[in-house]
Amino acid sequence: HVQLVESGGGSVQTGGSLRLSCRVSEFTSSSYCMGWFRQAPGNEREVVARFHSYGSMGYADSVKGRFTISKDNAKNILYLHMNSLKPEDTAMYYCAADYCWMDSKNFRNWGQWTQVTVS
């Protein structure tokens, strides 16, 4: 069972930056992929950025060019670098992991969440 713990959220002004971290109990096999998700009040949870098979990455259109997903395999940490933040980025942010072939919304291993507020 993969355990994930997010950190790094906070409150920033429009245009600011934050880096979210997700400590993973283990970066299991290469068959597993990880991603970042968010849920704003009244909205459904959406994928923000995720790794796919062979290390390729995908981003939501709303964050392309502003957010970058990365990972440090030696430290078992997944990151989300967020720049040029906008008020609409305000949400609870989650990291999650599961088999790469799975649809992101069906991922089974989730962290607790970390709050990002942009004003």
Side-chain angles (χ1 to χ4, degrees):
H1 178 65
V2 178
Q3 293 181 316
L4 308 100
V5 179
E6 300 96 335
S7 61
S11 297
V12 295
Q13 293 186 334
T14 299
S17 299
L18 282 173
R19 186 184 73 171
L20 304 184
S21 300
C22 175
R23 186 170 296 277
V24 188
S25 58
E26 57 179 305
F27 273 145
T28 58
S29 73
S30 58
S31 299
Y32 259 58
C33 286
M34 297 189 65
W36 287 97
F37 302 76
R38 69 185 180 188
Q39 185 169 19
N43 292 350
E44 293 186 355
R45 188 161 54 192
E46 61 176 354
V47 58
V48 175
R50 65 160 284 180
F51 282 99
H52 296 276
S53 299
Y54 308 110
S56 64
M57 293 167 279
Y59 295 90
D61 288 342
S62 59
V63 306
K64 283 181 181 176
R66 301 188 297 121
F67 290 12
T68 303
I69 189 171
S70 66
K71 57 183 176 176
D72 185 330
N73 290 332
K75 296 181 180 179
N76 285 0
I77 300 177
L78 179 75
Y79 296 105
L80 183 67
H81 307 263
M82 304 185 294
N83 297 317
S84 302
L85 283 161
K86 305 175 181 180
E88 51 263 43
D89 295 318
T90 296
M92 297 184 295
Y93 282 72
Y94 302 79
C95 62
D98 216 313
Y99 289 112
C100 295
W101 55 264
M102 291 184 72
D103 193 306
S104 301
K105 63 176 183 266
N106 295 324
F107 276 12
R108 296 167 293 176
N109 303 289
W110 293 86
Q112 81 288 358
W113 57 268
T114 186
Q115 178 69 39
V116 171
T117 302
V118 185
S119 58

